[in-house]
Amino acid sequence: MATATVTTTFTPLHDRILVRRVEEGETVRGGIIIPDSAKEKPQEGEVISVGKGKSNDEGKVFPLDVKAGDRVLFGKYSGTEIKIDGEEFLIMREEEVLGILKK
């Protein structure tokens, strides 16, 4: 019997974006390994998908400055954590993004 994998496609609405946190390497300070429960979650992520943009009172839509594939910095308590197909993501408004990282 063959098993099919289901992949969910998620498109945020309006000025919201879907972000995957970028995990940093394991932190070692003074030879002590910090357990996962004590580590802070990274405040850097990769934009997976974006909404169409923010609309004003007249209905005109303004596109977002961030796009899929951008690496962004966001505040410590930004966004709402969700799970899609077992993977953790954040949904946040574009205004919660502090900046775009360029390499």
Side-chain angles (χ1 to χ4, degrees), residues 28-97:
V28 178
R29 292 197 180 136
I32 300 172
I33 297 175
I34 300 170
D36 288 339
S37 60
K39 289 181 185 175
E40 288 191 20
K41 293 187 177 179
Q43 294 170 271
E44 181 180 332
E46 178 186 0
V47 177
I48 304 301
S49 61
V50 299
K52 293 187 192 270
K54 194 167 190 156
S55 56
N56 64 9
D57 295 336
E58 290 119 31
K60 183 176 179 183
V61 176
F62 296 95
L64 302 180
D65 291 329
V66 298
K67 59 188 178 309
D70 283 348
R71 288 190 69 127
V72 295
L73 290 177
F74 47 87
K76 187 181 279 190
Y77 302 106
S78 297
T80 302
E81 294 183 353
I82 62 163
K83 268 191 177 182
I84 300 174
D85 293 337
E87 191 173 355
E88 291 187 12
F89 295 96
L90 285 170
I91 297 177
M92 64 181 70
R93 293 187 177 274
E94 186 188 41
E95 63 195 27
E96 293 180 87
V97 172

